[in-house]
Amino acid sequence: MKIVLVMVAVMVAGAVGHTLHLGRTCPDVLPFPNLSVDKVLGRWYVLHKFDTDNTCLVWNVTRGEIPDTLLVTETRQLSVLDTLGVDHTHAVTAMVDIPNPEVPGKMRIRWPTSALTGKADFIVFDTDYETYMSVFECDRAGLLHRRSVTILSRTRTIDDMFVSRVRRLLDTADVSHSALSTISHDSCRQSGQHNWHVDEELFGLLPGVDEEEVRRRVSQGVVDYDITQVEIISDGVTPDDSSFRGSLRRDQSEPAV
C-alpha cells in the first residue's frame, strides 16, 4: 500500500509544474548567450515554478559521465504525502544533453516522470551564475505541448528585481507567466523517515512490457523515441504500447518495511 501511495504521489508531482497548450510548437525562448556550463553546476533552490504546490525543491546540477551531458537531481517534499502526514523526502534524477556545444544554453532533458513525452527542451535563458538562474522547459505529446518555467537561486531567497527581469524576458518570448508559483522552503527536512529516489526505472511499478524495452526508451544514453507514438484519444493520452515497466528504487540507507 505504501508503494502504491508513493507511486500516485510521484505521478501527480510529475503531472504538475506545467501548463498545457494546444499545438506542437513550443515558444521561441532564446538561450542565454555563451552559457558557461561549469558555472551553473552545483546547488540551486527552486523559488518559483509553474503550477506546483510541492515544497522544498532543490536542484543539484552535476556533470554526467557522457561528454556534453549533465545530471539534474531534484529533491522535494511532495504535498500529497505531507498532507497525509508521511515523513519523507523525494528525489528524482534527470539526464540533460547538450546537442550543440556551440549553443550550450539550449539543452534537452529527460525526466523519468515524463516517459510518455520523452525528452523536453531545457533552455537556460537567463542567469548571473552567482545569484539566480531561469530555465524554460517544453515537451510535446500528440497535438499538445507543455510548458514550465523555473526560477532558481543560490540561496533560499531571491531579490524581486531578478524575478521581474525573468517575467520581462518571458513577455518578450510571448510566454505567459501567470502560473508561476512561489515555492516554500520553510520546515524543510534534510531527510525523512522515508527517502525515495526515482530514477529511469520508475515505471517498474506498472505492469507491461519487459524491463529491456523500458530501458531502451527511458534509460540514459538512448536515442529519443518519436513522440508521435503518443496518440490523442478523446480527453486522454494513450501510447501505442499499452504500458511501461520499471522500478522505484529505495534509498539504500532506508530499512526495509
Side-chain angles (χ1 to χ4, degrees):
M1 179 62 183
K2 185 178 295 182
I3 290 297
V4 173
L5 180 63
V6 173
M7 181 185 74
V8 171
V10 169
M11 295 300 290
V12 169
V16 299
H18 301 80
T19 58
L20 193 63
H21 304 266
L22 286 174
R24 292 177 54 83
T25 303
C26 291
D28 186 17
V29 176
L30 297 178
F32 188 75
N34 302 313
L35 180 74
S36 174
V37 174
D38 286 336
K39 290 183 178 180
V40 302
L41 301 180
R43 186 180 183 89
W44 292 93
Y45 294 89
V46 179
L47 297 184
H48 298 276
K49 189 176 180 67
F50 272 11
D51 194 23
T52 183
D53 56 2
N54 294 320
T55 61
C56 302
L57 272 70
V58 177
W59 284 8
N60 188 37
V61 183
T62 58
R63 284 281 188 181
E65 294 183 1
I66 302 172
D68 296 321
T69 64
L70 302 174
L71 296 177
V72 176
T73 297
E74 179 182 87
T75 57
R76 56 188 166 180
Q77 290 172 202
L78 301 173
S79 60
V80 174
L81 298 184
D82 276 341
T83 300
L84 295 173
V86 178
D87 182 11
H88 75 287
T89 58
H90 169 257
V92 58
T93 297
M95 184 174 181
V96 178
D97 60 76
I98 306 172
N100 182 2
E102 297 296 319
V103 189
K106 189 172 186 178
M107 312 180 213
R108 299 276 285 162
I109 190 167
R110 185 189 295 279
W111 293 102
T113 49
S114 298
L116 291 181
T117 53
K119 290 184 180 180
D121 297 339
F122 185 86
I123 300 171
V124 176
F125 64 95
D126 199 30
T127 186
D128 66 355
Y129 303 112
E130 297 179 356
T131 308
Y132 77 103
M133 177 171 69
S134 52
V135 175
F136 175 76
E137 296 178 57
C138 185
D139 59 19
R140 305 162 182 85
L143 302 177
L144 305 174
H145 71 274
R146 300 189 307 169
R147 305 174 187 176
S148 182
V149 172
T150 306
I151 304 177
L152 309 103
S153 172
R154 290 293 190 183
T155 67
R156 290 183 174 87
T157 61
I158 188 170
D159 195 299
D160 286 341
M161 71 175 182
F162 296 125
V163 178
S164 297
R165 174 181 168 85
V166 171
R167 291 181 183 273
R168 289 196 299 271
L169 290 171
L170 292 172
D171 287 336
T172 300
D174 198 25
V175 175
S176 172
H177 45 75
S178 59
L180 273 175
S181 302
T182 300
I183 309 301
S184 171
H185 284 268
D186 297 332
S187 304
C188 295
R189 309 179 187 97
Q190 292 299 315
S191 63
Q193 181 181 357
H194 306 288
N195 303 294
W196 288 290
H197 182 194
V198 178
D199 61 10
E200 73 275 6
E201 301 176 355
L202 166 67
F203 289 90
L205 296 170
L206 304 178
V209 298
D210 61 30
E211 189 167 334
E212 277 304 312
E213 174 66 6
V214 175
R215 286 186 177 278
R216 182 183 71 80
R217 288 180 176 243
V218 300
S219 65
Q220 297 178 357
V222 300
V223 176
D224 191 21
Y225 62 90
D226 186 358
I227 53 178
T228 60
Q229 292 176 1
V230 178
E231 180 182 1
I232 304 298
I233 300 179
S234 182
D235 294 330
V237 179
T238 304
D240 287 346
D241 293 332
S242 59
S243 54
F244 296 88
R245 186 177 180 276
S247 66
L248 180 65
R249 187 173 64 195
R250 182 187 301 277
D251 189 298
Q252 297 302 311
S253 64
E254 180 188 352
V257 294

